Amino acid sequence: MPHSSNIPQTNALAPIFVSHGSPMLVARQSTPAFNFLHTELPDHLDGAQAILIVSAHWQAPVATISTAQHQETIHDFYGFPDALYQLHYDVAGAPDLASTIAQKIGAKTDDQRGLDHGAWMPMILARPQADIPVFQLSMIENGSPADHFALGKKLRDLREMGVLVIGSGAMTHNLRALDRNDGPNADAWAEEFCQWMVENTKQHDVDTLLAYRSKAPHARMAHPHDDHLMPFYVALGAADDHYVCKTLHHSIEFGNLAMTALRFYDQETSIKAA
């Protein structure tokens, strides 16, 4: 796929945050989020020799990297149509590279772990040819936003190794509040929370972002639990200190499930991206 003219070549490995949504996303082919992941995100993967994904669905006591040669497709969800369990993302890992990164950042390794749906779902849409090695880095069990931001900072040099860092979670994630009928209107609280997150990100107010629990509007509604927002902090930490944040996509499904995607370009090469 040709590289998008809107993405500076020198920023081809700038970290990305995506909201991966419901497992049903792959079947809901008329949604704006599906269209983004399937038709726009692919351009943002060009130039990567390997992709490291931090998914909301893998937590470990300490940061852990998957070093499996073949990345098994993990169907870590229940009660969905059978067709979803037949999907497999047959992609290679990069054991030597993953082991090198683990040693570099002081992480453990797991040579059995595959890709959970927070990792393979966006990839099966964006890169169905599975021609870029993919492996995961776990979140830190019970880790704070500051812990995950610090973890992300350890990943800043990965661009020099040809590795693209992707955080895969959700900008809002409250399963009990979802409108299962998926009506056309988005809940105001979800939009307000997303706007607060994006505005503070673009203003580089990291201290405020790290304290989102006490400072963001509707934080408890947006995230009864922290897990789906922690990949955002890893991606933010992996960004250059003087990043320019661009919103790649924003839509809301099921009333309040925000499908926001952001990219953190280097300041000096981001004029075309801003």
Side-chain angles (χ1 to χ4, degrees):
M1 184 173 293
H3 199 286
S4 171
S5 60
N6 292 324
I7 304 171
Q9 292 286 345
T10 51
N11 253 321
L13 298 176
I16 300 171
F17 169 74
V18 297
S19 299
H20 61 252
S22 161
M24 284 298 293
L25 179 67
V26 295
R28 291 159 48 82
Q29 299 185 9
S30 62
T31 66
F34 177 94
N35 291 335
F36 163 72
L37 291 170
H38 188 50
T39 66
E40 297 181 40
L41 183 60
D43 284 342
H44 294 272
L45 308 183
D46 285 345
Q49 298 178 35
I51 296 174
L52 181 150
I53 297 184
V54 179
S55 164
H57 295 279
W58 185 20
Q59 299 186 39
V62 297
T64 305
I65 291 181
S66 59
T67 56
Q69 176 64 58
H70 175 75
Q71 295 290 308
E72 176 190 0
T73 302
I74 302 173
H75 298 89
D76 54 335
F77 45 80
Y78 307 94
F80 288 89
D82 289 343
L84 291 184
Y85 300 96
Q86 305 307 313
L87 292 175
H88 292 273
Y89 190 62
D90 295 320
V91 69
D96 291 343
L97 177 60
S99 295
T100 297
I101 293 171
Q103 184 175 19
K104 178 181 177 64
I105 69 172
K108 289 189 174 182
T109 59
D110 184 336
D111 63 4
Q112 300 298 312
R113 173 77 187 190
L115 303 179
D116 60 53
H117 79 274
W120 66 259
M121 277 182 49
M123 291 303 302
I124 204 171
L125 294 178
R127 204 78 179 192
Q129 63 269 44
D131 60 344
I132 303 174
V134 180
F135 50 95
Q136 281 191 238
L137 168 64
S138 77
M139 298 192 306
I140 303 167
E141 195 172 273
N142 299 318
S144 67
D147 293 330
H148 288 93
F149 180 73
L151 177 61
K153 291 180 73 172
K154 294 180 179 180
L155 307 178
R156 289 186 176 183
D157 293 341
L158 265 56
R159 277 185 272 185
E160 298 175 6
M161 305 167 70
V163 179
L164 170 63
V165 174
I166 298 178
S168 178
M171 190 55 81
T172 59
H173 191 261
N174 186 337
L175 298 184
R176 292 189 176 183
L178 297 184
D179 174 8
R180 301 294 178 175
N181 295 319
D182 199 16
N185 298 321
D187 292 339
W189 63 261
E191 290 284 18
E192 290 171 14
F193 179 85
C194 291
Q195 183 178 7
W196 184 92
M197 288 291 297
V198 172
E199 286 181 354
N200 281 285
T201 301
K202 292 186 174 182
Q203 293 171 6
H204 285 236
D205 196 343
V206 173
D207 288 342
T208 294
L209 288 167
L210 295 179
Y212 92 96
R213 269 284 173 222
S214 60
K215 295 189 176 182
H218 318 293
R220 182 59 61 183
M221 279 295 291
H223 290 281
H225 306 283
D226 281 332
D227 54 359
H228 273 71
L229 195 57
M230 294 305 101
F232 161 82
Y233 290 105
V234 177
L236 180 66
D240 179 78
D241 281 335
H242 305 291
Y243 68 81
V244 172
C245 176
K246 180 183 178 183
T247 301
L248 303 181
H249 176 77
H250 176 70
S251 62
I252 290 186
E253 300 184 347
F254 301 106
N256 51 62
L257 183 61
M259 299 298 297
T260 309
L262 305 172
R263 193 161 202 186
F264 304 95
Y265 292 102
D266 291 352
Q267 183 182 47
E268 62 269 23
T269 54
S270 60
I271 296 175
K272 294 180 182 178

